[in-house]
Structures are given as structure tokens and as C-alpha cells.
Amino acid sequence: MDTPRDPFHDGERAVQAQAGMQARMAEVGPRAIRDHMPDQHRDFFALLPFLVIGSVDADGQPWASVLSGPPGFVQSPDPRTLQVAARAHPDSPLAAHLRVGAPLGLLGIQPHTRRRNRMNGTVVRAGEAGFDVEVEQSFGNCPKYIRTREAFYFGDDEPVAPAQPLAALDDAARALIARADTLFIASAHAAGVDVSHRGGEPGFVTVGPDDVLTLPDYVGNFFFNTLGNLLLEPRAGLLFIDFDSGDLLQVSGHAQIVWEDEALAAHPGAQRLLTIAVTGALRVPGGLPLQWQMTDP
């Protein structure tokens, strides 16, 4: 009988061990993380009006981005392929990264139903109309900490506003982060890229002196994909969405995992903290042509 495939890398296994979960994840991981998409995942992606993507730039810095389109702009013609009919903002790190052979982390999330599925893979086709990704890992995530708001795509025929590079966070960026209840975090390792959702009460991310962000890490699925990546490669990319204006804020930074600290007391329920020293940011005014409606608070 074949030995079950271990889907985790050294960083993930190290964090699992520190959390006392390595033996359990060695049992669960091969069953939960597949090398193909089950039909329910394939159907789910086709329902979505937006898709969150993790990529890296030429220097290896991870970035979290988002693409949007009418439901159906993401399709899966077979269990090993996801097709995305959308183009990245021309000023974005994602646009420069979309080439054959590039690793991507993809997150499909439907906040109003609290469903989310992850897929990591490699670009096998890239063109003006979109790109195709070959599946390497596919798995579901638990629904915890997802704020239930529904997204509606309205399209946008207006010219795309130029992205605004920020050497440091300005007052508007700090204000968006300080009131956020949702963010997405991209991280990387030698073999690929991941992108994940994080959520909490508004203000769960704090902005400290010198633009150091503190992000609580709550109980999740114990895979520790993000933390495992950051243990090996501490650079991270964050994405914040202004759900009123559609503005996007992409943040790059260096992350550190804090296991035991007095600061944990200020974040009820947090198992660990991530501190992220901001190294740069990119604002895209009106970059997401979606309207949002809160459902169950």
C-alpha cells in the first residue's frame, strides 16, 4: 500500500510541532489537501464575483491581490485546472508576475455563506484575456472569522485609476487598517505561494509606532500554511479592502511570530500574534468594482 503523501513543508511541520498538532496533522493533511479540485470546489469557484490571489514580485516579496468579474469569470474545465478570465491592474505586482511557470496561491471566498476554498498551483497559460492555473494543492478552510457580507459585481467601464505607491503608510491607510474587520495575507516558500483570509472585530489589527502592525492569530485548521511559510520566509503581503469605496490597499512587510507575550492579553482569543513591519504599500483607488451588502453581523 502506498504511503500517504505528506502535503506539508518543513516550516509548516515546525509550527505544527510547536503547537502540539504535528501528529494530528500528519494524519489529517493527506486526506484534506488534494492534488486536484473536487467537483464542489470547481462549482464553487464559478459562483464567485471576485478571487483573491497571492503572488511574488521579482525580489521574492509576496503580494496579496484581488481580481473581479461577473460570476463565471472563474471556471474549472477539469479537476486539475482553473481558468481566470480577468486581467490584473497594469501597475500591480500581480500583472508583472502572471507568466507561464509562475506560482500562485488562490482563495475563493463567499463571505455571505462563509465558504472558502484554497488552491495553490502554477500558471500554465497567460494572455490578454486571463490565465490558467494547474492545481498542486486544493483544500477547504473553516468558516471562522468571516464577516458575512455579500458581493455584487457591477462592472466598470471607467478608465482604471493609476496605483499610488506609498513608501510608508499615510493617515488614510492607517485609518483603513484600524477599522478593518477583514484582510488577506500572502506568504511564500521555496515551492510556491499561499494566500489566506484573516478576520475579526473591527480594529482587530492595530497600527503601532513605526508602522508595525499587530495581527492576532486565532484558532484555525492547524495546517499553519501561512505561519509555516513565514517561519522560513518572513516577508508577507497584506490586502485591505475599503468595502464602501472599493479602494484597495496592498501592504508589504516583514513578519514575526510572537508565541508568548504580554501583548496577547490585549487580543482575547488569540493563540499567537503576528507583528508585521511595513516596508511599502500600494493604493488602488476604486480598484474593486463590487458593491457589498452586510447580511448577518
Side-chain angles (χ1 to χ4, degrees):
M1 185 171 63
D2 293 339
T3 302
R5 174 184 54 85
D6 184 355
F8 301 115
H9 60 64
D10 289 345
E12 293 164 330
R13 287 190 290 268
V15 179
Q16 291 166 5
Q18 189 157 354
M21 296 299 296
Q22 186 175 11
R24 175 62 176 154
M25 290 303 101
E27 176 185 348
V28 170
R31 298 199 306 267
I33 301 177
R34 308 171 178 87
D35 62 359
H36 64 281
M37 288 182 293
D39 287 346
Q40 62 177 342
H41 289 198
R42 298 173 62 203
D43 295 341
F44 174 70
F45 277 105
L47 301 174
L48 303 176
F50 72 101
L51 181 69
V52 183
I53 300 179
S55 65
V56 294
D57 63 20
D59 295 323
Q61 167 67 51
W63 291 91
S65 306
V66 60
L67 297 177
S68 61
F73 85 103
V74 182
Q75 292 284 337
S76 173
D78 61 71
R80 295 296 306 274
T81 307
L82 203 66
Q83 296 178 333
V84 182
R87 292 186 293 178
H89 189 288
D91 300 335
S92 71
L94 177 61
H97 180 76
L98 284 176
R99 61 186 184 279
V100 172
L104 292 180
L106 305 178
L107 170 65
I109 182 168
Q110 193 175 54
H112 68 286
T113 64
R114 303 176 72 214
R115 292 179 63 190
R116 54 178 161 171
N117 291 322
R118 302 259 289 278
M119 194 275 270
N120 300 334
T122 302
V123 177
V124 292
R125 182 194 64 83
E128 286 294 318
F131 57 95
D132 296 355
V133 182
E134 184 178 59
V135 178
E136 294 172 5
Q137 291 188 329
S138 173
F139 53 102
N141 272 166
C142 69
K144 292 178 180 179
Y145 315 112
I146 298 177
R147 305 293 288 192
T148 50
R149 50 170 60 90
E150 188 168 2
F152 299 91
Y153 179 77
F154 62 84
D156 194 350
D157 296 328
E158 297 295 323
V160 178
Q164 302 169 357
L166 305 175
L169 299 179
D170 58 14
D171 289 345
R174 294 189 189 95
L176 174 58
I177 294 170
R179 67 176 182 269
D181 59 25
T182 299
L183 65 83
F184 302 95
I185 180 168
S187 58
H189 57 92
V193 186
D194 286 296
V195 68
S196 183
H197 162 277
R198 294 290 188 273
E201 293 297 322
F204 80 110
V205 183
T206 56
V207 185
D210 301 320
D211 287 346
V212 176
L213 310 183
T214 299
L215 169 63
D217 188 67
Y218 301 118
V219 173
N221 57 15
F222 299 110
F223 292 170
F224 295 119
N225 308 112
T226 298
L227 297 190
N229 290 344
L230 295 175
L231 191 68
L232 303 180
E233 165 53 81
R235 290 180 292 180
L238 307 180
L239 171 66
F240 296 89
I241 299 172
D242 186 322
F243 295 105
D244 295 323
S245 68
D247 292 356
L248 303 176
L249 179 68
Q250 295 171 269
V251 176
S252 62
H254 282 78
Q256 181 177 359
I257 305 170
V258 179
W259 286 87
E260 296 180 4
D261 192 279
E262 293 180 359
L264 275 172
H267 301 275
Q271 305 295 298
R272 293 152 293 273
L273 299 176
L274 273 180
T275 60
I276 300 172
V278 174
T279 56
L282 192 70
R283 180 188 291 114
V284 185
L288 191 60
L290 299 176
Q291 292 180 336
W292 301 85
Q293 178 179 330
M294 292 294 291
T295 52
D296 183 20

